[in-house]
Amino acid sequence: MMSNDKVLVQVRNLSVNYHTRLGPVSAVNDVSFDIYRGEILGLVGESGCGKSTLGKALMRMIMPPAKISSGAIIFDGEDVMKFDQKRLRDFRGRRISMIFQDPMTSLNPVQRVDEHLIEAIQVHEPKTVLENAQERVRTLIGRLGIQERRLRDYPHQLSGGMRQRVMIGLGLILNADLIIADEATTSLDVIVEAKLVDQLREIREEFGLAILVITHNIALVAEIADRIAVMYAGQIVELGDITNIFDNPLHPYTIGLLSSVPSIKLDDHEELYKMSGEPPNLTHPPSGCRFHPRCPEAMPLCSRFCPNMEEVVPGRWVHCWLYQDHPQKERSTIKVKA
Amino acid sequence: MSSSLRNFLITRIFLTIPMIWILITMVFIVMRILPGDPIRSQLGPKVSEEQAMALRERLGLNRPLYVQYFDFLWKMVTLDFGTALTQGERPIIDELGEKLPATIELTVPAMIFTAIFGIVSGAYAAEKRKKTIDYGIRLFSIAVYSIPIFFMGLVFQIIFSVRIPILPLAGRMDTLMMTNFRPITHFYVLDSILQGNWAAFRSCISHLILPSLTLGLALTGVFIRLTRVNMIEMLQADFITAGRARGLPERRLVYKHALRNTFIPILTLIGLQFAILLAGAVLTETTFSWPGMGRYLVDRIELRDYTAVQATIGVFAFFVAIISLAMDFLYAFIDPRIRY
Amino acid sequence: MNEKNTHDNDIDQEYVVPQWQLDLDRVGFVRKIFLARKWYGGDWWFVVLSAFLLLFIIIIGIFPQWFAPYDPKAEVSSSLLAPGEAPSSFVLVANIDSDIKEFKEIASSKNKVGIVVASPSSQALREAVTALNDEAKAAGEPATYNPRPIRFETLEEGLEATAAGEVNGFIAAPAELEGIIEKYPQLEICGALREETAKGFIFGTNQIGQDIFSRIIWGTRIALIVGLSSAIVSILVGVPLGLISGFISGPFDRILTLLMDSLYSFPGLILAISIAAVLGAGIGNVIVAIAVLYVPTYFRIVRGQTLSVKQELYVEAARSLGAKPSTILWKYIFPNVIPSIVIIFSVNVADAILTEAGLSFLGLGLPPDTPDWGIDLARGQDYLRRAWWLITFPGLMVSMVTLAFSMLGESLSEILNPRLAEL
Ligand SMILES: Nc1ncnc2c1ncn2[C@@H]1O[C@H](COP(=O)(O)OP(=O)(O)OP(=O)(O)O)[C@@H](O)[C@H]1O
Ligand SMILES: [Mg+2]
């Protein structure tokens, strides 16, 4: 994985801990991956596996008592971890932006829609003349399919889908390169969700920005994403092209996850696969590979050593001992064909 | 004005009516139904039973309880409080018409002081939560809450008018000046401005400083606490996180976004604070010999003037209900979720 | 891909994970509570500090006799002594040849005793006579001491009259006599008027010569009795009402809520004043008057929580399994409201003590001369210019006790309040 023109963000060995009363919670552990320019990357995993934490860490929005304990985030060639406050503020909003799950609460209830957008412009580009800012807002909002008269509305007067589009607008108004959508469609109904997903794709084409879609809805990821990262208990266990992973999942967790998704075919009455065991308590994560207590393929080795994130075929990374060598390993390593 | 706002306000006005009714009924219960004979306590044990009966007759206290109740309700609603038993034949409503402005003149500056001081330090403490300055502000708020208001007043009197005599000890105005001062509205500050009497104005203001400072400071504790708690909650709201993710400066997030939203719950709290404020005013007025409603109430209780007492408490009840109504109106105008 | 990057210069969060947090899951329960002081920071210290203060106050309240040197109602010395000031002693002056040794000898009603008019010696004379009579009564003798006081305009006049034998003896302070007594060789100082404790009182005495220190010690007991019992009465009324009202809903709930809201919005002290004024003075009446004020607070909080707990899944589940309503209330809902009750309780006690002091200050609470802080403050108000100590010490005492209770409530709420908890 060399940094080249295609790569927008490089995340290397990122770990985040929440320091709670009950001890540290290892919410993200030694995660490495890249986000390419203009791609839609899906990040999926069970609830509580650290997806939101990872998303916030990308913007360095981890607040005490949590802390990024180690790792590097290289955004467009610059080390985000080295930014000072001012740089960081500029970075957020102008280069990267985030949309949250609950559209009801993520806009300021006493601020009008246009005030949100104009404020964003004025904070980041203080020299902008108000008229220009308003003009930009109007153009953008039109593109997002919100009527202009809605600009003078308060957030509570908009529907959920519209609010999320305003949130997207807030990311676009400053031409951010990456938008992180953290379960942005979860609270919308199916039809609005579908529309929003279409819109996200269009926006990607039009503005050429990258979108990190965080969700536990695999069907959504299948529809929208170019690549997919599967996360389990604070670690990314598998990363690759969407078609490859759906056709041929490698990591035992991914296999389990995909077979527990209900099929949409109506005549399909087969019993859903249920993964045994519970997701681990991240205060005391299992040793070695964090998935080994639930893994059908677990080997003695798995409980003692943590595997690496290895590129098994070009563009396909797996975090599993099945696919990599170790001197103490009894079974032979599986070779994956490209 | 949109129809939803109008509906809200109309509903709210209708809700005030049962509230006033309950409060007046409460006054009735306290005054007439609780054990204890107001007439006996008024006249003292030496007076004969005939005289007591005569007074009961005069006040209509020998009628059946329900008749008394409806009579009482009617008189309260029509503001017909009768005449005081102890102050010649002066109608109580006239007396209260002089006392109420005094109380308002004392409480308004106190409320302004406490609101500004309390909101600013509460918001600052919330921003600096768990830092030393936060604990300092909280300790201060607990301390001013814990000091009895009259004790604080007495200490201020000792310091600022006995030891370092820069401010007057008590009253609303220099007694000498009172002789040629004709109050119109009974808001002395207003009156002295209207008459262009600047000496009187200065005297009023200097008399106002200590009592309203005492009252304001005593309330600040509660205010800081409430602002801080609400701000902390607001700072954890999603739209603050979203704003941070948009790169808005922290200052702006705290003092513009969070604080503006905190005003909405705080406004409701100011309404509730008014109850504490009035209670505090009774003690402050007694300490500083301020001739307001509270002072009047305590004096009449001492004189056992039962008609005056019940009228005063009734007026307090009205006052509370109206303030809470006014606060709700203000609230409706500030919160866009109600306005639209 | 394996370059390890650790950034210590993280400016965004100058937050370095302290060692104790890393230690947390390696220590036992007791150590955990102790380590909690670092987690909760100042609040932990607030709780500990106020707990110690309260322990101390409660011990004083239970055993005031251990701490108070004097009877709080007894007039133990001359009035308005400043803190630490010794009472001025008075001496008896008489003719050398009269052979008088002590005051007792000339204290019968046949005798005349001289004093300077309107001086402290008149009070000293009165006190000395009272003391003699008390002594006689205690010994079972008739209490007949009652010398006739003769008042003089000046000290010289009085001494001259004494020298001339017009009065049997003369009473004055030694400081006054200095330099004057020498002019009357036929007079001598026979000794102290009575054996007095020459030491002062640490907080001084009030206008009727009671020891302020003893009074505020005994005042603690009154404050605690009123504060705690009125809070308990409010709980006993407010909590069950709130539970039931929130649980059964319906018109009963609506009426009760309206009632409680109206009560809540009314200025508490004014309500207490009117109740206390109608009921009359007495500790029981004060407790009732104050208890009424806090019933709505418990009611509102408990009702609100009952409503939200009622919706929780496990309560729904228990209900669908056929648990009795009383079981659900007691086993599922009540335990959830306990933390809030604890918080309100301590704030409530603080408030009740303040209200009680306020009522007494207005002369509406307790019978006069009860050793009570509010009463002492009200009395001291008249002596503001002369004697600052009359109000200072009772006032500080009210503030301290209230502070202890409200500090406990405030920090408990910061620790227990789930709305504020970050984690
Ligand atoms: N403020 C916090 N304090 C302590 N632990 C936290 C906090 N926030 C999250 N965690 C823990 O960190 C882990 C990851 O949380 P995170 O919110 O990132 O999960 P998630 O994958 O986004 O879950 P979901 O799908 O439910 O949104 C969880 O195990 C959670 O218990
Ligand atoms: Mg999440």
Side-chain angles (χ1 to χ4, degrees), chain A residues 18 20 25 27 45-54 101 182-183 214 216 282, chain C residues 422-423:
Chain A
Y18 284 94
T20 70
V25 174
E46 283 166 295
S47 191
C49 69
K51 303 183 296 292
S52 302
T53 310
L54 179 57
Q101 171 170 2
D182 187 357
E183 319 216 0
I214 299 179
H216 28 222
L282 293 181
Chain C
E422 284 164 322
L423 303 172

Side-chain angles (χ1 to χ4, degrees), chain B residues 15 18-19 22-23 26-27 30-31 34-36 129-130 135 138-139 142-143 145-148 150-151 154-155 157-158 161-163 169 225 228-229 232-233 236 272 274-276 278-279 282-283 286-288 297-298 301-302 304 313 316-317 320, chain C residues 39-43 46 258-259 262-271 273-275 277-279 294 300 347 350-351 354 357-358 361-362 364 377 381 384-385 388 391-392 395-396 398-399 402-403 406-407 410-411 413-414 417 419-422:
Chain B
L15 270 177
M19 185 174 164
I22 288 177
L23 287 175
M26 225 158 60
V27 176
V30 169
M31 303 303 294
L34 283 191
R129 187 177 180 203
K130 299 212 167 177
Y135 290 113
R138 282 172 62 203
L139 202 59
I142 303 173
Y145 171 78
S146 305
I147 299 173
F150 45 94
F151 176 53
L154 293 174
V155 171
Q157 284 180 330
I158 291 186
S161 33
V162 176
R163 288 289 143 110
L169 189 69
R225 214 194 108 75
R228 177 176 171 276
V229 170
I232 288 176
E233 252 180 87
Q236 288 166 9
L272 290 178
F274 241 88
I276 312 178
L278 287 182
V282 174
L283 292 170
T286 314
T287 314
F288 287 93
L297 176 68
V298 173
I301 285 177
E302 245 158 55
R304 306 189 175 287
I313 297 176
F316 269 123
V320 167
Chain C
W39 181 263
Y40 292 115
D43 285 301
F46 278 9
L258 186 62
L259 202 77
S262 310
L263 202 58
Y264 186 73
S265 65
F266 199 73
L269 184 72
I270 294 175
L271 190 63
I273 287 176
S274 32
I275 298 177
V278 173
L279 291 181
Y294 251 87
R300 286 161 62 107
V347 179
D351 226 35
L354 279 180
F361 180 73
L362 298 175
L364 286 169
L377 276 162
Q381 194 184 7
L384 214 54
R385 290 175 188 280
W388 54 270
I391 59 150
T392 306
L396 285 180
V398 188
S399 311
T402 317
L403 184 81
S406 31
M407 197 148 94
E410 156 86 15
S411 19
S413 81
E414 184 82 6
N417 190 345
R419 294 194 313 170
L420 292 185
E422 284 164 322

Side-chain angles (χ1 to χ4, degrees), chain A residues 218-237:
Chain A
I218 303 224
L220 175 81
V221 170
E223 202 182 321
I224 186 175
D226 306 319
R227 293 196 306 149
I228 176 171
V230 181
M231 199 165 175
Y232 179 80
Q235 296 174 326
I236 290 187
V237 294

Side-chain angles (χ1 to χ4, degrees), chain B residues 8 24 41 63 108 117 124 140 231 239 334:
Chain B
F8 171 81
I24 291 178
S41 66
R63 294 172 298 170
V108 167
F117 188 41
Y124 189 64
F140 170 80
M231 269 295 273
F239 69 87
I334 284 195

Side-chain angles (χ1 to χ4, degrees), chain C residues 121-395:
Chain C
S121 36
S122 64
Q123 195 194 351
L125 172 64
R126 231 180 304 125
E127 279 167 10
V129 172
T130 319
L132 282 177
N133 282 331
D134 287 350
E135 224 170 83
K137 254 187 242 152
E141 293 163 21
T144 54
Y145 295 103
N146 187 18
R148 195 137 65 86
I150 307 294
R151 294 178 179 82
F152 297 95
E153 286 298 323
T154 62
L155 187 63
E156 281 80 4
E157 268 177 47
L159 290 179
E160 241 152 62
T162 316
E166 286 168 30
V167 293
N168 302 65
F170 191 85
I171 291 171
E176 302 175 283
L177 290 171
E178 220 168 285
I180 298 178
I181 185 90
E182 283 81 25
K183 293 187 212 147
Y184 304 93
Q186 65 274 51
L187 295 183
E188 66 162 359
I189 296 175
C190 313
L193 189 57
R194 66 187 169 117
E195 284 152 45
E196 263 189 293
T197 44
K199 71 176 191 326
F201 300 85
I202 54 169
F203 289 166
T205 60
N206 64 11
Q207 65 272 38
I208 42 179
Q210 294 165 330
D211 177 29
I212 290 180
F213 181 68
S214 306
R215 281 185 72 83
I216 63 172
I217 293 285
W218 281 87
T220 316
R221 169 176 275 187
I222 305 277
L224 287 181
I225 289 177
V226 174
L228 294 172
S229 10
S230 65
I232 289 170
V233 173
S234 314
I235 288 188
L236 290 182
V237 180
V239 172
L241 279 184
L243 279 174
I244 294 169
S245 185
F247 192 66
I248 66 175
S249 311
F252 172 76
D253 174 50
R254 246 170 286 145
I255 291 173
L256 208 55
T257 307
L258 186 62
L259 202 77
M260 290 289 177
D261 280 353
S262 310
L263 202 58
Y264 186 73
S265 65
F266 199 73
L269 184 72
I270 294 175
L271 190 63
I273 287 176
S274 32
I275 298 177
V278 173
L279 291 181
I283 195 161
N285 296 345
V286 172
I287 291 174
V288 171
I290 297 175
V292 173
L293 310 187
Y294 251 87
V295 170
T297 312
Y298 287 105
F299 174 85
R300 286 161 62 107
I301 300 279
V302 171
R303 176 176 171 274
Q305 295 211 333
T306 308
L307 281 178
S308 64
V309 175
K310 209 167 73 168
Q311 315 292 340
E312 303 263 339
L313 272 180
Y314 63 99
V315 177
E316 293 282 332
R319 205 205 310 263
S320 61
L321 288 177
K324 278 198 307 229
S326 59
T327 319
I328 293 177
L329 256 185
W330 184 250
K331 281 248 177 72
Y332 294 91
I333 296 180
F334 183 64
N336 278 292
V337 301
I338 291 178
S340 316
I341 295 179
V342 171
I343 293 167
I344 308 174
F345 179 78
S346 61
V347 179
N348 178 1
V349 175
D351 226 35
I353 290 173
L354 279 180
T355 310
E356 189 269 331
L359 283 180
S360 310
F361 180 73
L362 298 175
L364 286 169
L366 302 167
D369 210 44
T370 314
D372 175 79
W373 301 327
I375 291 180
D376 284 2
L377 276 162
R379 286 178 174 180
Q381 194 184 7
D382 303 335
Y383 293 83
L384 214 54
R385 290 175 188 280
R386 273 201 284 159
W388 54 270
W389 56 94
L390 291 196
I391 59 150
T392 306
F393 297 109

Side-chain angles (χ1 to χ4, degrees), chain B residues 12 15-31 72-73 76-77 79 81 96 100 103 271 274-275 278-279 282 293-294 297 308-326, chain C residues 261-271 274:
Chain B
R12 195 55 198 76
L15 270 177
T16 311
I17 294 170
M19 185 174 164
I20 293 182
W21 171 65
I22 288 177
L23 287 175
I24 291 178
T25 308
M26 225 158 60
V27 176
F28 181 79
I29 292 176
V30 169
M31 303 303 294
F72 179 76
L73 263 187
M76 281 286 160
V77 170
L79 296 180
F81 300 130
L96 293 179
L100 192 60
T103 298
F274 241 88
L278 287 182
V282 174
M293 295 274 292
L297 176 68
V309 169
Q310 89 189 4
T312 315
I313 297 176
V315 170
F316 269 123
F318 271 119
F319 202 42
V320 167
I322 287 168
I323 291 292
S324 101
L325 186 66
Chain C
D261 280 353
S262 310
L263 202 58
Y264 186 73
S265 65
F266 199 73
L269 184 72
I270 294 175
L271 190 63
S274 32

